[in-house]
Amino acid sequence: MVSKYPRSVRGCLPLWTLMLQAALIVIFFFFASYDSFIEYPEKVVTQGAVLQDMVVMAALGLGFLSSSLWRYSWSSVAFNLFMLALGVQWAVLLDGFLENPALEKVFIKLSRIQQATMTAMSVLISAGAILGKANLAQLVLLVLMEVTAFSATRMISQQFLSADAHVSMMHIHVFAAYFGLTVAWCLSRPLPREAEEKDQRKTSPSLFAMLGTLFLWMFWPSFNSALLSIPDERKNGVFNTYYALAVSAVTAISLSALAHPQGKISMTHIHNAVLAGGVAVGAPCHLIPSPWLAMVLGLLAGLISIGGAKSMPVCFNRVLGIHDTCGVHYTFGLPGLLGGITYIVYLTSWYKDPLIAFQMLYDIAALSLSLAMGLASGLLTGLILNLKIWKAPHVVKYFDDQAFWEFPHLAVGF
Amino acid sequence: MVSKYPRSVRGCLPLWTLMLQAALIVIFFFFASYDSFIEYPEKVVTQGAVLQDMVVMAALGLGFLSSSLWRYSWSSVAFNLFMLALGVQWAVLLDGFLENPALEKVFIKLSRIQQATMTAMSVLISAGAILGKANLAQLVLLVLMEVTAFSATRMISQQFLSADAHVSMMHIHVFAAYFGLTVAWCLSRPLPREAEEKDQRKTSPSLFAMLGTLFLWMFWPSFNSALLSIPDERKNGVFNTYYALAVSAVTAISLSALAHPQGKISMTHIHNAVLAGGVAVGAPCHLIPSPWLAMVLGLLAGLISIGGAKSMPVCFNRVLGIHDTCGVHYTFGLPGLLGGITYIVYLTSWYKDPLIAFQMLYDIAALSLSLAMGLASGLLTGLILNLKIWKAPHVVKYFDDQAFWEFPHLAVGF
Amino acid sequence: MVSKYPRSVRGCLPLWTLMLQAALIVIFFFFASYDSFIEYPEKVVTQGAVLQDMVVMAALGLGFLSSSLWRYSWSSVAFNLFMLALGVQWAVLLDGFLENPALEKVFIKLSRIQQATMTAMSVLISAGAILGKANLAQLVLLVLMEVTAFSATRMISQQFLSADAHVSMMHIHVFAAYFGLTVAWCLSRPLPREAEEKDQRKTSPSLFAMLGTLFLWMFWPSFNSALLSIPDERKNGVFNTYYALAVSAVTAISLSALAHPQGKISMTHIHNAVLAGGVAVGAPCHLIPSPWLAMVLGLLAGLISIGGAKSMPVCFNRVLGIHDTCGVHYTFGLPGLLGGITYIVYLTSWYKDPLIAFQMLYDIAALSLSLAMGLASGLLTGLILNLKIWKAPHVVKYFDDQAFWEFPHLAVGF
């Protein structure tokens, strides 16, 4: 396809990305330095291992999870790396400024890089919903907007709603899923009937997506326990996540066979529903005192996720006009809501203290805040991304070596 | 293919799996709780890392190892995850009950989950021999039977034959390989001549299988040293496994080139023989005091494995009628026997004490027990799996998105 | 293709490899034993984790990095494992002898196996330049020659040029890249015009290569900090590598889009340039006190790498006649030189001591030594590999299951 835009306009977008990278370096020059405090060697080892697990989940797991659509498998993995690398830099700065605005310097510690990696994962989750709908420059804006919005949400939760670091981070699934869905709603156009059918068919099931799923499945206990500092809570977090994941894997595979008229298993279901248990158990994982509760959560999450995967595409594609490319809604959104609600219910039923009523209201507010901020900032981002200036032609066909120029009508939308 | 069974029968099997999952949750509700004892944080970190290595080996390594047959690559990875998730739940319960039948509660600790993961790996090893021959409900029964049989074998070895936890676990390869082969023998029917040839040809060599092989290769030192608690023994275990694996990799690749009339390397050989060194060094790895002995074991294991891969298919397919889909016999069975025998010989030659004679008899008994239990419980499981009630039509073509309905005569057998 | 050589000659080469393996076992029998000193358990855990990271980088990362050429993807992964397994054995022996020639025994410690794995990675890096140009026996010689040359280079640097273990190891990129390029220059023949074009086209972009790239990207902080023993230096090493990698990922993806006339991203660029930041920051990573310097290095490395990828193939293929199959020069060579020069400049500008002038001269000498030894030993190895005796016919078509016999003219060269 020969581009209709002059060279200068097209050249501008990646150049703008480079400029942004240079600007980030200048900001780091003025405002960031390494923490001179020497941490205990053992703590460095432990935290280093957790950081590595987070990076594996972000770069490999989330990168390959959405690679099952062969038309976007390249973009999925490469753009995922791009957004992660950019998002971490921005999140480190932002977290530092928000945490202590009085200080003129951001001190970089292992724990801050780890939190920044987790914050940047919100972008990677959202990106699953708009895969193939945005170009490089649009993704840069998405990264900056979403990291800012999620960091702000977490800061508000922690400072005004007395949520702890763990719970405010665990709302990442709800925030990111609804952010992504709102952006996808802004970007999508009603597809012609035949394109939609082709879209359904083109999900060539990929072992690569299974690889991403497995990496997420294996390292999820690390993710859920990363911000828990009390050893006993951490242990409970790991165990409960482990059990919830095991049950949701069994549930997902059984239900997928049950839902199919000929008893076959759909790989798309498995990619998504296997992880639902880990998402759902996220917020309450440190409080659950015995495995059966985590297992029930895993079972419910698997049910919701498979149910969503069967009914959502019809509802979303037809009624709302949202095209959720990778099933972000029923992988992260609904199980995340289930987890948030469980956490609130659990707190209430456990403690009989009247003071708890306040805490419960706070927790409801924190969950609603994540949902509302996800929707609001997603809408804002989607509207900005829909402006004419972004509509460069290199949207659909990024990669040199593959010929996937098939849907000319898709390109019209951008 | 339109099924000949009514909807209700087909729907029953996955429903049965869900029921089993619900029953497991109920059992956990009554009989399991987390260990309230707070372990040392450092120990948690170490054991957590070992557990993660085991999960990577089980979910990724063994899942992708057998994905080289493209007809079964999907089933291999997804069913592997299913069996792992189910097997771990069952093994945790069973280990707890067998270890201390007097207690009415199973206390869940990190070390128990780790042992349960290793126990569940026996099912994943066996599954390589029956890949493509069993449906979801049959696999559920296989998981329950094999985990029970292997846990019982380990308990008998430890309580009556004074074997330690490490050695009784290292007989997993012998147990699982012969269990799988016996089940495969019960399930298989003599294939027509042309199908067999097609079967040979269809091993489209897959980089995914190589990925699984590499993950197993890299994490095998963790597996062999996981149950060694004395630091010096643990160190020796890691080193000896490392050396045995290095030598068996070199041996396997050289021998594969040597065995081929035109000096080419067969990927099937490499998938299997590269790991033989790690299997063979398993039982004696903590006792071997210098690297050359481990290297000799690696060399012998490579020789046996490649020799088996060249001669076994003929012998097994033609004479015994066993169709060992993934070469479980010469990857795990024969090298495992080599390791068990080496351990016994080594103990005898090392200690000159007359008391050792008893210990040697015990060790011979423990190895024979694993072999015999593998064969006996495999036969029992195979006979049950061969009953008419399992013969649902969704046996061969599980996955929606792939068309691999090629061998109508294969389906007749099920 | 039916071979023109008699059976005996062809059979000889793998047999020779087996003989070498047997000889190594005999050497280990006489000269190696395990270290009886019991290290602290915590240290074993930490070092074990670092060793595992190195093995993952070597076996998975470097193995899959060069698998993007589908004609060589099998050879790449399997030969990579072969060279790693052989190289580690040889490097352990050699390091032990060179470190303390007076002792008649080499004591094997965890730290020695780790250093040997890193030394063996030099072979894996070089192999990217000669992929598809050497047979199994030639690779054996390559392993022995290169490990010997690199160990000698490191020993000279450490004993005569007062370089520390970290810096002398970080020159691995420069050494290995120029070693590989010189060998490739000796082995290559001018290709006919149409083969070259086909060669360009055949880089079917592979998600497997992306997998290798990601594994290297994720574990590179471990590599750069593996030999730093002071906790503060180690922490700085990890942080600086992390930032350099993030910036070079953003730079590489942006520049690749900028360099393409239609704004598309080339996967080949990304495979290589994404890692350039980690290579460049290697030597000075423990000294850089603030993130912006590491980020500038990452930016420069990305620029150099993408610039090299655009201009090198023309220059190398046409003018010098070197055919650098996997872009080793601009992935490892040029960024490595950048890192070495940065280290020297940094030392000079930082310390105002006159004694530093000597140290700077020493450092320049150490970098030049690595470069010179790489070129010289590469030339020697290339000349030996070019002898008639190696020209067995099983050069191009190794693997049984794939039909990639396409370029008859390519085979003439070997």
Side-chain angles (χ1 to χ4, degrees):
Chain A
M1 187 194 79
V2 178
S3 166
K4 293 153 293 184
Y5 290 68
R7 179 73 182 83
S8 60
V9 174
R10 267 181 289 121
C12 255
L13 294 177
L15 205 62
W16 190 71
T17 317
L18 271 184
M19 288 295 155
L20 179 77
Q21 179 61 68
L24 274 172
I25 296 183
V26 173
I27 299 178
F28 268 87
F29 173 64
F30 283 112
F31 296 110
S33 73
Y34 289 137
D35 193 11
S36 60
F37 179 71
I38 300 174
E39 289 160 290
Y40 294 103
E42 300 87 46
K43 218 184 142 197
V44 169
V45 171
T46 317
Q47 280 205 330
V50 174
L51 172 60
Q52 209 171 51
D53 289 355
M54 297 303 104
V55 176
V56 170
M57 286 181 79
L60 258 187
L62 289 169
F64 281 103
L65 178 63
S66 41
S67 67
S68 66
L69 309 173
W70 70 264
R71 264 168 50 91
Y72 307 123
S73 58
W74 292 114
S75 359
S76 164
V77 179
F79 284 170
N80 188 74
L81 182 64
F82 175 80
M83 291 186 286
L84 174 66
L86 192 64
V88 165
Q89 297 178 47
W90 183 234
V92 161
L93 282 180
L94 212 64
D95 276 6
F97 284 129
L98 287 176
E99 196 180 278
N100 207 335
L103 278 176
E104 72 264 28
K105 276 273 185 188
V106 172
F107 290 103
I108 295 172
K109 295 178 291 192
L110 210 49
S111 59
R112 179 152 287 155
I113 297 186
Q114 180 195 312
Q115 280 199 30
T117 308
M118 293 171 87
T119 304
M121 284 169 81
S122 67
V123 186
L124 312 183
I125 293 173
S126 300
I130 55 163
L131 200 60
K133 300 194 188 85
N135 64 19
L136 198 62
Q138 284 177 314
L139 289 179
V140 169
L141 192 89
L142 184 86
V143 170
L144 298 182
M145 296 283 291
E146 184 162 3
V147 166
T148 310
F150 185 57
S151 294
T153 308
R154 285 187 58 222
M155 195 211 54
I156 295 172
S157 287
Q158 288 184 38
Q159 301 206 336
F160 300 104
L161 302 171
S162 71
D164 58 2
H166 168 75
V167 172
S168 66
M169 183 60 89
M170 285 302 135
H171 291 329
I172 186 174
H173 308 299
V174 173
F175 176 88
Y178 289 99
F179 183 97
L181 287 173
T182 323
V183 174
W185 180 67
C186 293
L187 289 182
S188 61
R189 294 282 167 284
L191 299 180
R193 190 80 183 85
E194 61 279 35
E196 202 179 317
E197 266 162 18
K198 208 166 184 181
D199 183 61
Q200 236 101 46
R201 214 156 45 70
K202 85 178 178 293
T203 49
S204 99
S206 158
L207 274 175
F208 279 109
M210 198 66 204
L211 191 72
T213 307
L214 283 177
F215 268 107
L216 288 174
W217 195 82
M218 295 184 303
F219 290 101
W220 209 285
S222 269
F223 181 81
N224 277 358
S225 66
L227 296 179
L228 298 169
S229 48
I230 303 169
D232 204 30
E233 287 191 353
R234 191 186 190 98
K235 206 184 63 179
N236 270 0
V238 170
F239 284 3
N240 283 318
T241 310
Y242 198 84
Y243 273 95
L245 284 169
V247 173
S248 77
V250 172
T251 309
I253 294 176
S254 308
L255 270 179
S256 180
L258 198 62
H260 193 277
Q262 273 151 49
K264 294 172 200 162
I265 295 166
S266 153
M267 291 310 278
T268 318
H269 290 172
I270 293 173
H271 292 327
N272 299 316
V274 150
L275 301 172
V279 173
V281 90
C285 71
H286 55 307
L287 298 174
I288 297 176
S290 51
W292 71 272
L293 267 169
M295 292 165 84
V296 169
L297 261 185
L299 189 76
L300 287 177
L303 284 168
I304 288 175
S305 191
I306 295 277
K310 290 294 286 187
S311 58
M312 281 296 159
V314 181
C315 149
F316 267 54
N317 281 5
R318 301 280 156 75
V319 183
L320 287 175
I322 299 179
H323 180 231
D324 179 6
T325 324
C326 286
V328 165
H329 194 195
Y330 42 88
T331 310
F332 296 99
L334 295 177
L337 279 177
L338 172 70
I341 294 166
T342 309
Y343 176 67
I344 293 163
V345 170
Y346 195 77
L347 270 189
T348 342
S349 64
W350 195 249
Y351 301 101
K352 300 296 174 201
D353 203 317
L355 266 172
I356 287 302
F358 282 104
Q359 183 58 44
M360 199 188 77
L361 285 178
Y362 275 152
D363 289 326
I364 293 174
L367 181 62
S368 314
L369 178 77
S370 298
L371 184 61
M373 284 287 282
L375 290 169
S377 56
L379 189 66
L380 181 65
T381 310
L383 290 177
I384 296 178
L385 291 190
N386 234 0
L387 295 178
K388 275 257 171 185
I389 50 160
W390 305 99
K391 293 181 184 170
H394 53 104
V395 172
V396 171
K397 190 172 181 211
Y398 280 111
F399 292 102
D400 212 9
D401 321 81
Q402 231 175 341
F404 49 38
W405 184 257
E406 284 177 26
F407 301 165
H409 54 271
L410 260 177
V412 178
F414 305 123
Chain B
M1 187 195 78
V2 179
S3 166
K4 292 153 295 183
Y5 290 69
R7 179 74 182 82
S8 60
V9 173
R10 267 181 289 120
C12 255
L13 294 178
L15 205 61
W16 190 71
T17 316
L18 271 184
M19 288 295 155
L20 179 77
Q21 179 60 68
L24 274 172
I25 294 182
V26 173
I27 300 178
F28 269 88
F29 173 63
F30 284 112
F31 297 111
S33 72
Y34 288 138
D35 194 11
S36 60
F37 178 72
I38 299 172
E39 290 160 291
Y40 294 105
E42 300 86 45
K43 218 184 143 196
V44 169
V45 171
T46 318
Q47 280 204 332
V50 173
L51 171 60
Q52 208 171 52
D53 289 355
M54 297 301 104
V55 176
V56 171
M57 285 181 78
L60 257 187
L62 288 169
F64 281 103
L65 178 64
S66 40
S67 67
S68 66
L69 308 173
W70 71 263
R71 264 169 50 92
Y72 306 123
S73 58
W74 291 113
S75 358
S76 165
V77 178
F79 284 170
N80 187 76
L81 181 65
F82 176 80
M83 291 186 286
L84 175 65
L86 193 65
V88 165
Q89 297 178 48
W90 183 234
V92 161
L93 282 179
L94 212 65
D95 276 7
F97 285 128
L98 288 176
E99 196 180 279
N100 207 336
L103 279 175
E104 71 264 29
K105 276 273 185 189
V106 172
F107 290 103
I108 294 173
K109 295 178 290 193
L110 210 49
S111 59
R112 181 152 286 153
I113 297 186
Q114 180 195 312
Q115 280 198 31
T117 309
M118 293 172 88
T119 304
M121 284 169 82
S122 67
V123 186
L124 312 183
I125 293 173
S126 301
I130 56 163
L131 200 60
K133 299 194 189 83
N135 64 18
L136 199 62
Q138 285 178 312
L139 289 179
V140 169
L141 192 90
L142 184 86
V143 169
L144 298 181
M145 296 282 291
E146 184 162 3
V147 166
T148 311
F150 185 56
S151 293
T153 309
R154 285 187 57 221
M155 195 211 52
I156 297 172
S157 287
Q158 289 184 37
Q159 301 206 337
F160 301 102
L161 302 170
S162 70
D164 57 3
H166 169 75
V167 172
S168 67
M169 183 59 90
M170 285 302 136
H171 291 330
I172 187 174
H173 309 298
V174 173
F175 176 89
Y178 289 99
F179 182 98
L181 288 173
T182 323
V183 174
W185 180 67
C186 293
L187 290 181
S188 62
R189 293 284 167 281
L191 300 179
R193 188 80 183 86
E194 61 280 32
E196 203 181 315
E197 267 163 15
K198 207 165 184 180
D199 183 60
Q200 237 102 49
R201 213 157 46 70
K202 86 177 177 295
T203 48
S204 96
S206 159
L207 275 175
F208 280 109
M210 199 65 204
L211 190 72
T213 307
L214 283 177
F215 268 107
L216 288 174
W217 195 83
M218 294 184 303
F219 290 101
W220 211 284
S222 268
F223 181 82
N224 277 358
S225 66
L227 295 178
L228 298 169
S229 48
I230 303 169
D232 205 29
E233 286 191 355
R234 192 186 189 98
K235 205 183 65 179
N236 270 0
V238 170
F239 284 3
N240 283 318
T241 310
Y242 198 85
Y243 273 97
L245 283 169
V247 173
S248 77
V250 172
T251 309
I253 294 176
S254 308
L255 269 178
S256 179
L258 198 62
H260 192 278
Q262 273 152 48
K264 293 173 200 161
I265 295 167
S266 153
M267 290 311 278
T268 318
H269 290 172
I270 292 173
H271 292 327
N272 299 315
V274 150
L275 302 172
V279 173
V281 91
C285 70
H286 54 308
L287 298 174
I288 297 176
S290 51
W292 70 274
L293 267 168
M295 292 165 85
V296 169
L297 260 185
L299 189 75
L300 288 178
L303 284 168
I304 288 175
S305 190
I306 296 275
K310 291 294 286 187
S311 57
M312 281 295 160
V314 181
C315 149
F316 268 54
N317 281 5
R318 302 279 157 76
V319 183
L320 286 174
I322 300 178
H323 181 230
D324 180 5
T325 324
C326 286
V328 165
H329 193 194
Y330 43 87
T331 309
F332 297 99
L334 295 177
L337 280 177
L338 173 69
I341 294 166
T342 308
Y343 176 68
I344 294 162
V345 169
Y346 195 77
L347 270 189
T348 342
S349 64
W350 195 251
Y351 301 102
K352 301 295 173 201
D353 203 315
L355 266 171
I356 287 302
F358 281 103
Q359 183 58 44
M360 199 188 77
L361 283 179
Y362 275 152
D363 289 327
I364 293 174
L367 180 62
S368 314
L369 178 77
S370 299
L371 184 61
M373 284 289 282
L375 290 169
S377 57
L379 189 66
L380 182 65
T381 310
L383 290 176
I384 296 177
L385 292 190
N386 234 1
L387 296 177
K388 275 255 171 185
I389 51 160
W390 305 100
K391 292 181 184 169
H394 51 107
V395 171
V396 171
K397 190 174 179 207
Y398 279 109
F399 291 102
D400 213 9
D401 321 80
Q402 228 174 346
F404 50 38
W405 185 259
E406 285 177 26
F407 300 165
H409 54 272
L410 260 177
V412 177
F414 304 124
Chain C
M1 186 195 81
V2 179
S3 164
K4 293 151 294 183
Y5 290 69
R7 178 75 182 83
S8 59
V9 173
R10 268 182 288 122
C12 255
L13 294 177
L15 206 62
W16 190 72
T17 315
L18 271 185
M19 289 293 156
L20 178 77
Q21 179 60 68
L24 274 172
I25 295 182
V26 172
I27 299 179
F28 268 88
F29 173 64
F30 284 113
F31 296 112
S33 74
Y34 289 138
D35 194 10
S36 61
F37 178 70
I38 299 173
E39 290 161 288
Y40 294 104
E42 300 85 48
K43 218 184 141 195
V44 169
V45 171
T46 318
Q47 279 204 331
V50 174
L51 171 59
Q52 209 171 50
D53 289 355
M54 296 302 106
V55 175
V56 171
M57 286 181 77
L60 258 187
L62 289 169
F64 281 102
L65 178 63
S66 40
S67 68
S68 67
L69 309 173
W70 69 264
R71 265 167 51 92
Y72 306 123
S73 58
W74 291 113
S75 359
S76 164
V77 180
F79 284 170
N80 186 75
L81 181 64
F82 176 79
M83 291 186 287
L84 175 65
L86 192 66
V88 165
Q89 297 178 48
W90 183 234
V92 161
L93 283 179
L94 213 64
D95 276 6
F97 285 128
L98 287 177
E99 196 180 279
N100 206 335
L103 280 177
E104 71 264 31
K105 276 273 185 187
V106 172
F107 290 103
I108 294 172
K109 296 177 290 193
L110 210 48
S111 58
R112 180 152 287 152
I113 297 185
Q114 180 196 312
Q115 279 198 30
T117 308
M118 293 172 86
T119 304
M121 284 169 82
S122 66
V123 186
L124 311 183
I125 293 173
S126 301
I130 55 164
L131 199 61
K133 299 194 189 84
N135 64 18
L136 199 61
Q138 286 178 311
L139 289 179
V140 169
L141 192 90
L142 184 85
V143 170
L144 298 181
M145 296 282 292
E146 183 161 3
V147 166
T148 311
F150 185 56
S151 293
T153 309
R154 285 187 58 220
M155 195 211 53
I156 296 173
S157 287
Q158 288 184 38
Q159 300 206 336
F160 300 103
L161 302 171
S162 70
D164 58 3
H166 169 74
V167 171
S168 65
M169 182 60 89
M170 285 303 136
H171 291 329
I172 187 173
H173 308 299
V174 173
F175 176 88
Y178 289 100
F179 183 98
L181 287 173
T182 323
V183 174
W185 180 66
C186 293
L187 289 182
S188 62
R189 293 283 167 283
L191 301 179
R193 190 79 183 87
E194 63 279 34
E196 202 180 318
E197 266 164 16
K198 207 164 185 180
D199 183 61
Q200 236 102 47
R201 213 156 46 72
K202 87 177 176 295
T203 49
S204 98
S206 159
L207 275 176
F208 279 109
M210 199 65 204
L211 191 72
T213 306
L214 283 178
F215 268 107
L216 288 173
W217 195 83
M218 293 184 304
F219 290 101
W220 210 284
S222 269
F223 181 81
N224 277 357
S225 67
L227 296 179
L228 298 170
S229 48
I230 303 170
D232 204 30
E233 286 191 354
R234 191 185 190 97
K235 204 184 65 179
N236 271 0
V238 170
F239 284 4
N240 283 317
T241 310
Y242 197 84
Y243 273 97
L245 283 169
V247 173
S248 76
V250 172
T251 309
I253 294 176
S254 308
L255 269 179
S256 179
L258 198 62
H260 192 279
Q262 275 151 46
K264 293 173 202 162
I265 295 166
S266 153
M267 289 311 276
T268 319
H269 290 172
I270 293 172
H271 292 328
N272 299 316
V274 150
L275 302 172
V279 173
V281 88
C285 71
H286 54 309
L287 298 174
I288 296 176
S290 52
W292 71 273
L293 267 168
M295 292 165 85
V296 169
L297 260 186
L299 188 76
L300 288 177
L303 284 168
I304 288 175
S305 190
I306 295 276
K310 291 294 285 186
S311 57
M312 282 294 160
V314 181
C315 148
F316 268 53
N317 281 5
R318 303 279 156 76
V319 183
L320 287 175
I322 299 179
H323 180 229
D324 180 6
T325 324
C326 286
V328 165
H329 193 194
Y330 43 87
T331 310
F332 297 100
L334 295 178
L337 280 177
L338 172 69
I341 293 168
T342 308
Y343 176 67
I344 294 163
V345 170
Y346 195 76
L347 269 189
T348 343
S349 64
W350 196 248
Y351 301 101
K352 300 296 174 203
D353 202 316
L355 266 172
I356 287 301
F358 281 103
Q359 183 57 44
M360 199 189 76
L361 285 179
Y362 275 150
D363 288 326
I364 293 173
L367 181 62
S368 314
L369 177 76
S370 298
L371 184 61
M373 285 288 280
L375 290 170
S377 56
L379 189 66
L380 181 64
T381 310
L383 290 177
I384 297 178
L385 292 189
N386 234 0
L387 296 178
K388 274 256 170 184
I389 51 160
W390 305 99
K391 293 182 183 168
H394 52 107
V395 171
V396 171
K397 189 172 181 211
Y398 280 110
F399 291 102
D400 213 8
D401 322 79
Q402 232 174 341
F404 49 39
W405 185 258
E406 286 178 24
F407 300 167
H409 53 271
L410 260 177
V412 178
F414 305 125

